[in-house]
Amino acid sequence: MKPLTEPEIRAAFVNCTKGEASRLNVPRDLAEQPWEDLDFLGWRDPQAPDRAYLAAVIDGRTVAVALRSSGAASWQARRSLCSLCVTTHTGGVSLLVAARAGKAGKQGNSVGAYMCSDLACSLYVRGKKEVGTKLHESLTLEEKIGRTIANLAAFLAKVTA
Ligand SMILES: [Zn+2]
C-alpha cells in the first residue's frame, strides 16, 4: 500500500469522534513501516492494550477504524483462525469489535471479527512473520493477498454501512 501520514490516518477514522481521532496513539515509526508488504496498517495502542486500530486504502479512499478487544475471554488459548488473512494461531487471535460509523454506532451497534492479535496479517500472508501452524493451501500469494483485502473490505463495509 502507499505510505500514509499521521494527518491522513487521523482524518480517515470513521467510527470515533474527531477529538478521539486527534488524541489516539498513531505509530511514531510510520516512516519505518514495511509499506510495500502491507495491505493495511494495523496497530495496538501501547497505552491501552484493549484498543487496536487499522487503516487501509479501499477503492482509493483511506479508511481507519478504532477497535476494542471484547475482553480477556477473547484471548483464546486454543487454536484460532484470523477472519482476515485466514492464518491459524495458537492464542494469537483476538475478537476485535468496531463501533459502527455514524448513527448506528451512537446507538451502540458494533461489528466484531477475529483478527491476528498483532494485526500483522499482511506479514503472515507473505511469510515475513511466522506462525506455529500453517494451513496447507493451494492458493498463490497473490490470491491470498486478494482474499485478505476482500475480507478486510467486507469488514469495513459492515462498519461504514
Ligand atoms: Zn490475520
Side-chain angles (χ1 to χ4, degrees), residues 15 66-68 70 95-113 155 158-160:
N15 69 339
L67 303 156
R68 265 175 193 273
S70 72
L95 177 59
L96 293 176
V97 177
R100 287 183 52 200
K103 214 174 169 185
K106 288 197 185 81
Q107 289 167 350
N109 290 315
S110 59
V111 187
F155 175 73
K158 281 191 230 163
V159 175
T160 55

Side-chain angles (χ1 to χ4, degrees), residues 40-46 48-54 67-97 113-124 129-131:
F40 67 91
L41 178 70
W43 71 99
R44 288 245 163 204
D45 189 329
D50 66 326
R51 293 186 188 213
Y53 308 97
L54 67 82
L67 303 156
R68 265 175 193 273
S69 288
S70 72
S74 71
W75 291 81
Q76 298 180 348
R78 64 185 176 84
R79 210 162 70 161
S80 320
L81 200 64
C82 171
S83 68
L84 298 182
C85 66
V86 200
T87 295
T88 315
H89 296 272
T90 303
V93 173
S94 303
L95 177 59
L96 293 176
V97 177
Y114 284 93
M115 298 182 198
C116 294
S117 297
D118 58 4
L119 295 133
C121 300
S122 315
L123 302 180
Y124 292 117
K129 234 177 157 176
E130 291 295 330
V131 282

